[in-house]
Short mmCIF file of all heavy atoms in Angstrom, two decimals:
data_model
loop_
_atom_site.label_atom_id
_atom_site.label_comp_id
_atom_site.label_asym_id
_atom_site.label_seq_id
_atom_site.Cartn_x
_atom_site.Cartn_y
_atom_site.Cartn_z
N HIS K 103 47.58 26.29 70.09
CA HIS K 103 48.50 25.58 69.19
C HIS K 103 48.52 24.09 69.46
O HIS K 103 49.00 23.30 68.67
CB HIS K 103 49.92 26.15 69.32
CG HIS K 103 49.99 27.56 68.83
ND1 HIS K 103 49.72 27.89 67.55
CD2 HIS K 103 50.29 28.71 69.47
CE1 HIS K 103 49.82 29.21 67.40
NE2 HIS K 103 50.17 29.73 68.55
N LEU K 104 47.97 23.72 70.61
CA LEU K 104 47.88 22.27 70.90
C LEU K 104 46.68 21.73 70.12
O LEU K 104 45.86 22.47 69.59
CB LEU K 104 47.70 22.05 72.40
CG LEU K 104 48.81 22.61 73.29
CD1 LEU K 104 48.49 22.39 74.76
CD2 LEU K 104 50.15 21.95 72.92
N GLY K 105 46.57 20.41 70.05
CA GLY K 105 45.48 19.77 69.33
C GLY K 105 44.13 20.34 69.75
O GLY K 105 43.92 20.55 70.95
N GLN K 106 43.30 20.63 68.82
CA GLN K 106 41.98 21.22 69.17
C GLN K 106 40.86 20.23 68.87
O GLN K 106 40.97 19.46 67.92
CB GLN K 106 41.77 22.50 68.37
CG GLN K 106 42.81 23.56 68.62
CD GLN K 106 42.86 24.03 70.07
OE1 GLN K 106 41.84 24.21 70.68
NE2 GLN K 106 44.05 24.23 70.61
N PRO K 107 39.81 20.20 69.61
CA PRO K 107 39.63 21.01 70.79
C PRO K 107 40.50 20.51 71.94
O PRO K 107 40.85 19.33 71.98
CB PRO K 107 38.15 20.84 71.13
CG PRO K 107 37.82 19.48 70.62
CD PRO K 107 38.68 19.27 69.43
N LEU K 108 40.78 21.39 72.87
CA LEU K 108 41.60 21.02 74.02
C LEU K 108 40.64 20.72 75.17
O LEU K 108 39.73 21.52 75.46
CB LEU K 108 42.49 22.21 74.36
CG LEU K 108 43.64 21.95 75.30
CD1 LEU K 108 44.57 20.88 74.76
CD2 LEU K 108 44.43 23.24 75.53
N LYS K 109 40.84 19.57 75.78
CA LYS K 109 39.96 19.21 76.90
C LYS K 109 40.75 19.41 78.20
O LYS K 109 41.79 18.76 78.40
CB LYS K 109 39.55 17.78 76.78
CG LYS K 109 38.64 17.50 75.58
CD LYS K 109 38.34 16.02 75.60
CE LYS K 109 37.32 15.63 74.59
NZ LYS K 109 37.14 14.18 74.64
N LEU K 110 40.24 20.27 79.03
CA LEU K 110 40.95 20.60 80.27
C LEU K 110 40.05 20.36 81.47
O LEU K 110 38.82 20.52 81.38
CB LEU K 110 41.37 22.07 80.26
CG LEU K 110 42.30 22.48 79.10
CD1 LEU K 110 42.43 24.00 79.04
CD2 LEU K 110 43.67 21.83 79.26
N PHE K 111 40.64 19.98 82.59
CA PHE K 111 39.86 19.90 83.82
C PHE K 111 40.62 20.49 84.99
O PHE K 111 41.86 20.65 84.90
CB PHE K 111 39.41 18.48 84.11
CG PHE K 111 40.40 17.60 84.85
CD1 PHE K 111 40.26 17.33 86.21
CD2 PHE K 111 41.50 17.08 84.18
CE1 PHE K 111 41.18 16.53 86.88
CE2 PHE K 111 42.43 16.28 84.84
CZ PHE K 111 42.28 16.01 86.19
N TYR K 112 39.92 20.85 86.03
CA TYR K 112 40.54 21.46 87.23
C TYR K 112 39.73 21.10 88.45
O TYR K 112 38.54 20.79 88.36
CB TYR K 112 40.60 22.98 87.07
CG TYR K 112 39.28 23.61 86.68
CD1 TYR K 112 38.40 24.14 87.64
CD2 TYR K 112 38.87 23.65 85.35
CE1 TYR K 112 37.18 24.69 87.27
CE2 TYR K 112 37.65 24.20 84.98
CZ TYR K 112 36.80 24.71 85.94
OH TYR K 112 35.59 25.23 85.57
N ILE K 113 40.41 21.13 89.60
CA ILE K 113 39.73 20.97 90.87
C ILE K 113 40.29 22.03 91.78
O ILE K 113 41.51 22.18 91.87
CB ILE K 113 40.07 19.60 91.54
CG1 ILE K 113 39.63 18.44 90.66
CG2 ILE K 113 39.45 19.48 92.91
CD1 ILE K 113 39.87 17.09 91.31
N GLY K 114 39.46 22.76 92.47
CA GLY K 114 40.03 23.73 93.38
C GLY K 114 38.99 24.62 94.03
O GLY K 114 37.79 24.56 93.70
N PRO K 115 39.45 25.46 94.95
CA PRO K 115 38.52 26.33 95.68
C PRO K 115 38.09 27.55 94.88
O PRO K 115 38.88 28.08 94.08
CB PRO K 115 39.37 26.77 96.89
CG PRO K 115 40.77 26.66 96.43
CD PRO K 115 40.83 25.57 95.42
N MET K 116 36.85 27.96 95.08
CA MET K 116 36.29 29.18 94.45
C MET K 116 35.70 29.99 95.61
O MET K 116 35.41 29.45 96.67
CB MET K 116 35.17 28.83 93.47
CG MET K 116 35.54 27.75 92.46
SD MET K 116 36.74 28.35 91.26
CE MET K 116 37.41 26.83 90.64
N PHE K 117 35.49 31.27 95.34
CA PHE K 117 35.07 32.15 96.46
C PHE K 117 33.94 33.07 96.00
O PHE K 117 34.06 33.78 95.00
CB PHE K 117 36.26 33.00 96.90
CG PHE K 117 37.45 32.17 97.32
CD1 PHE K 117 38.34 31.69 96.36
CD2 PHE K 117 37.65 31.85 98.63
CE1 PHE K 117 39.42 30.92 96.72
CE2 PHE K 117 38.73 31.06 99.02
CZ PHE K 117 39.62 30.59 98.06
N ARG K 118 32.83 33.03 96.72
CA ARG K 118 31.73 33.95 96.42
C ARG K 118 31.14 34.42 97.75
O ARG K 118 30.85 33.58 98.61
CB ARG K 118 30.63 33.25 95.60
CG ARG K 118 31.11 32.83 94.24
CD ARG K 118 29.96 32.21 93.41
NE ARG K 118 30.54 31.53 92.25
CZ ARG K 118 29.87 30.76 91.41
NH1 ARG K 118 28.57 30.58 91.61
NH2 ARG K 118 30.45 30.21 90.38
N LYS K 119 30.97 35.74 97.83
CA LYS K 119 30.45 36.27 99.10
C LYS K 119 28.94 36.15 99.12
O LYS K 119 28.21 37.10 98.87
CB LYS K 119 30.87 37.73 99.20
CG LYS K 119 30.84 38.25 100.59
CD LYS K 119 31.54 39.57 100.61
CE LYS K 119 31.38 40.25 101.94
NZ LYS K 119 31.80 41.61 101.87
N GLU K 120 28.46 34.91 99.37
CA GLU K 120 27.04 34.67 99.39
C GLU K 120 26.58 34.53 100.83
O GLU K 120 27.40 34.40 101.74
CB GLU K 120 26.71 33.37 98.67
CG GLU K 120 27.21 33.37 97.23
CD GLU K 120 26.50 32.34 96.39
OE1 GLU K 120 25.29 32.52 96.18
OE2 GLU K 120 27.12 31.40 95.96
N GLN K 121 25.26 34.54 101.03
CA GLN K 121 24.73 34.28 102.35
C GLN K 121 24.83 32.77 102.59
O GLN K 121 24.16 32.01 101.91
CB GLN K 121 23.26 34.76 102.41
CG GLN K 121 22.79 35.34 103.72
CD GLN K 121 23.89 36.07 104.50
OE1 GLN K 121 24.59 36.92 104.00
NE2 GLN K 121 24.03 35.70 105.77
N PRO K 122 25.67 32.33 103.52
CA PRO K 122 25.82 30.87 103.70
C PRO K 122 24.52 30.18 104.07
O PRO K 122 23.72 30.71 104.85
CB PRO K 122 26.83 30.75 104.85
CG PRO K 122 27.50 32.06 104.92
CD PRO K 122 26.49 33.08 104.46
N GLN K 123 24.27 29.04 103.49
CA GLN K 123 23.13 28.18 103.82
C GLN K 123 23.47 26.79 103.32
O GLN K 123 24.57 26.58 102.84
CB GLN K 123 21.85 28.70 103.15
CG GLN K 123 22.04 28.98 101.67
CD GLN K 123 20.81 29.51 101.00
OE1 GLN K 123 19.94 28.76 100.67
NE2 GLN K 123 20.75 30.82 100.82
N SER K 124 22.51 25.86 103.43
CA SER K 124 22.81 24.49 103.02
C SER K 124 23.30 24.46 101.56
O SER K 124 22.64 25.00 100.67
CB SER K 124 21.55 23.65 103.15
OG SER K 124 21.66 22.50 102.35
N GLY K 125 24.47 23.91 101.34
CA GLY K 125 25.03 23.79 99.99
C GLY K 125 25.53 25.12 99.40
O GLY K 125 25.83 25.19 98.21
N ARG K 126 25.59 26.15 100.19
CA ARG K 126 26.04 27.45 99.68
C ARG K 126 27.07 28.02 100.62
O ARG K 126 26.77 28.32 101.77
CB ARG K 126 24.84 28.38 99.55
CG ARG K 126 25.08 29.58 98.66
CD ARG K 126 23.81 30.37 98.43
NE ARG K 126 22.84 29.65 97.62
CZ ARG K 126 22.92 29.50 96.29
NH1 ARG K 126 23.92 30.01 95.63
NH2 ARG K 126 22.02 28.83 95.65
N PHE K 127 28.29 28.16 100.14
CA PHE K 127 29.38 28.62 101.00
C PHE K 127 30.12 29.78 100.36
O PHE K 127 29.91 30.07 99.19
CB PHE K 127 30.35 27.46 101.25
CG PHE K 127 29.66 26.22 101.73
CD1 PHE K 127 29.46 25.16 100.87
CD2 PHE K 127 29.21 26.15 103.02
CE1 PHE K 127 28.79 24.04 101.31
CE2 PHE K 127 28.53 25.02 103.48
CZ PHE K 127 28.31 23.96 102.62
N ARG K 128 30.99 30.38 101.13
CA ARG K 128 31.79 31.49 100.57
C ARG K 128 33.09 30.95 99.97
O ARG K 128 33.62 31.52 99.04
CB ARG K 128 32.07 32.54 101.63
CG ARG K 128 30.77 33.24 102.00
CD ARG K 128 30.97 34.40 102.92
NE ARG K 128 29.75 35.16 102.99
CZ ARG K 128 29.64 36.32 103.57
NH1 ARG K 128 30.70 36.87 104.16
NH2 ARG K 128 28.49 36.95 103.58
N GLN K 129 33.60 29.89 100.57
CA GLN K 129 34.68 29.14 99.89
C GLN K 129 34.13 27.76 99.63
O GLN K 129 33.65 27.08 100.54
CB GLN K 129 35.92 29.03 100.77
CG GLN K 129 36.98 28.20 100.09
CD GLN K 129 38.32 28.13 100.83
OE1 GLN K 129 38.60 28.97 101.68
NE2 GLN K 129 39.14 27.17 100.48
N PHE K 130 34.15 27.36 98.37
CA PHE K 130 33.65 26.04 98.01
C PHE K 130 34.56 25.51 96.90
O PHE K 130 35.41 26.24 96.39
CB PHE K 130 32.19 26.10 97.53
CG PHE K 130 31.98 27.00 96.37
CD1 PHE K 130 31.92 26.48 95.07
CD2 PHE K 130 31.87 28.38 96.52
CE1 PHE K 130 31.72 27.32 93.97
CE2 PHE K 130 31.69 29.21 95.43
CZ PHE K 130 31.63 28.68 94.14
N HIS K 131 34.40 24.25 96.57
CA HIS K 131 35.30 23.63 95.59
C HIS K 131 34.53 23.16 94.35
O HIS K 131 33.43 22.65 94.49
CB HIS K 131 36.05 22.46 96.23
CG HIS K 131 36.94 22.89 97.35
ND1 HIS K 131 36.43 23.27 98.59
CD2 HIS K 131 38.28 23.03 97.43
CE1 HIS K 131 37.45 23.61 99.37
NE2 HIS K 131 38.58 23.47 98.70
N GLN K 132 35.14 23.37 93.25
CA GLN K 132 34.53 22.87 92.02
C GLN K 132 35.48 21.90 91.33
O GLN K 132 36.71 22.07 91.37
CB GLN K 132 34.29 24.02 91.02
CG GLN K 132 33.10 24.88 91.34
CD GLN K 132 32.86 25.93 90.26
OE1 GLN K 132 33.68 26.13 89.38
NE2 GLN K 132 31.71 26.60 90.34
N ALA K 133 34.87 20.92 90.66
CA ALA K 133 35.64 20.12 89.68
C ALA K 133 35.05 20.52 88.34
O ALA K 133 33.84 20.35 88.11
CB ALA K 133 35.44 18.64 89.96
N GLY K 134 35.87 21.09 87.48
CA GLY K 134 35.31 21.64 86.24
C GLY K 134 35.97 20.99 85.02
O GLY K 134 37.11 20.51 85.06
N PHE K 135 35.19 20.95 83.93
CA PHE K 135 35.65 20.34 82.68
C PHE K 135 35.36 21.32 81.55
O PHE K 135 34.25 21.86 81.48
CB PHE K 135 34.87 19.04 82.42
CG PHE K 135 35.10 18.00 83.49
CD1 PHE K 135 34.37 18.03 84.67
CD2 PHE K 135 36.06 17.02 83.33
CE1 PHE K 135 34.58 17.10 85.66
CE2 PHE K 135 36.28 16.07 84.32
CZ PHE K 135 35.55 16.11 85.48
N GLU K 136 36.35 21.56 80.72
CA GLU K 136 36.17 22.51 79.61
C GLU K 136 36.64 21.88 78.30
O GLU K 136 37.69 21.24 78.27
CB GLU K 136 36.97 23.81 79.87
CG GLU K 136 36.89 24.39 81.28
CD GLU K 136 35.57 25.07 81.61
OE1 GLU K 136 34.73 25.25 80.70
OE2 GLU K 136 35.39 25.43 82.80
N ILE K 137 35.88 22.10 77.25
CA ILE K 137 36.31 21.69 75.91
C ILE K 137 36.46 22.95 75.09
O ILE K 137 35.46 23.61 74.80
CB ILE K 137 35.31 20.72 75.25
CG1 ILE K 137 35.08 19.49 76.12
CG2 ILE K 137 35.80 20.32 73.84
CD1 ILE K 137 34.11 18.45 75.55
N ILE K 138 37.70 23.32 74.77
CA ILE K 138 37.96 24.62 74.16
C ILE K 138 38.55 24.46 72.77
O ILE K 138 39.46 23.62 72.60
CB ILE K 138 38.94 25.45 75.05
CG1 ILE K 138 38.39 25.52 76.47
CG2 ILE K 138 39.13 26.85 74.47
CD1 ILE K 138 39.25 26.33 77.42
N GLY K 139 38.07 25.26 71.85
CA GLY K 139 38.60 25.25 70.49
C GLY K 139 37.83 24.27 69.62
O GLY K 139 36.77 23.77 70.01
N GLY K 140 38.40 23.98 68.44
CA GLY K 140 37.65 23.17 67.49
C GLY K 140 36.47 23.96 66.98
O GLY K 140 36.48 25.19 66.98
N ASP K 141 35.40 23.28 66.57
CA ASP K 141 34.23 24.09 66.17
C ASP K 141 33.12 23.86 67.18
O ASP K 141 33.26 23.13 68.15
CB ASP K 141 33.83 23.78 64.73
CG ASP K 141 33.61 22.29 64.52
OD1 ASP K 141 33.23 21.64 65.50
OD2 ASP K 141 33.85 21.79 63.41
N ASP K 142 31.99 24.55 66.88
CA ASP K 142 30.93 24.55 67.90
C ASP K 142 29.97 23.37 67.69
O ASP K 142 28.77 23.48 67.93
CB ASP K 142 30.20 25.89 67.90
CG ASP K 142 29.59 26.19 66.56
OD1 ASP K 142 29.70 25.32 65.65
OD2 ASP K 142 29.01 27.27 66.38
N ASP K 143 30.53 22.26 67.28
CA ASP K 143 29.75 21.06 67.02
C ASP K 143 28.97 20.65 68.29
O ASP K 143 29.58 20.55 69.37
CB ASP K 143 30.73 19.96 66.62
CG ASP K 143 30.01 18.75 66.02
OD1 ASP K 143 28.96 18.38 66.55
OD2 ASP K 143 30.52 18.20 65.03
N PRO K 144 27.67 20.37 68.17
CA PRO K 144 26.90 19.97 69.36
C PRO K 144 27.38 18.69 70.00
O PRO K 144 27.07 18.41 71.14
CB PRO K 144 25.47 19.81 68.83
CG PRO K 144 25.53 19.93 67.35
CD PRO K 144 26.83 20.53 67.00
N VAL K 145 28.21 17.92 69.28
CA VAL K 145 28.71 16.68 69.85
C VAL K 145 29.55 16.98 71.11
O VAL K 145 29.54 16.20 72.07
CB VAL K 145 29.55 15.88 68.80
CG1 VAL K 145 30.89 16.52 68.53
CG2 VAL K 145 29.72 14.44 69.22
N TYR K 146 30.21 18.14 71.14
CA TYR K 146 31.03 18.49 72.31
C TYR K 146 30.14 18.85 73.50
O TYR K 146 30.46 18.49 74.64
CB TYR K 146 31.98 19.65 71.99
CG TYR K 146 32.98 19.29 70.91
CD1 TYR K 146 33.12 20.11 69.80
CD2 TYR K 146 33.75 18.17 71.02
CE1 TYR K 146 34.04 19.79 68.80
CE2 TYR K 146 34.66 17.81 70.00
CZ TYR K 146 34.81 18.62 68.91
OH TYR K 146 35.70 18.31 67.94
N ASP K 147 29.04 19.54 73.23
CA ASP K 147 28.13 19.85 74.33
C ASP K 147 27.63 18.55 74.96
O ASP K 147 27.62 18.40 76.19
CB ASP K 147 26.91 20.65 73.83
CG ASP K 147 27.28 21.88 73.05
OD1 ASP K 147 28.11 21.79 72.12
OD2 ASP K 147 26.75 22.96 73.34
#
Side-chain angles (χ1 to χ4, degrees):
H103 294 299
L104 301 177
Q106 301 298 320
L108 194 59
K109 293 179 172 178
L110 300 170
F111 84 104
Y112 51 95
I113 299 184
M116 310 290 159
F117 304 83
R118 296 183 193 172
K119 200 168 172 192
E120 302 201 66
Q121 214 33 50
Q123 50 182 279
S124 159
R126 197 172 291 284
F127 309 103
R128 291 187 169 189
Q129 176 175 342
F130 59 97
H131 296 73
Q132 283 184 349
F135 298 83
E136 316 286 352
I137 302 181
I138 306 180
D141 54 29
D142 59 3
D143 194 318
V145 72
Y146 297 127
D147 307 49

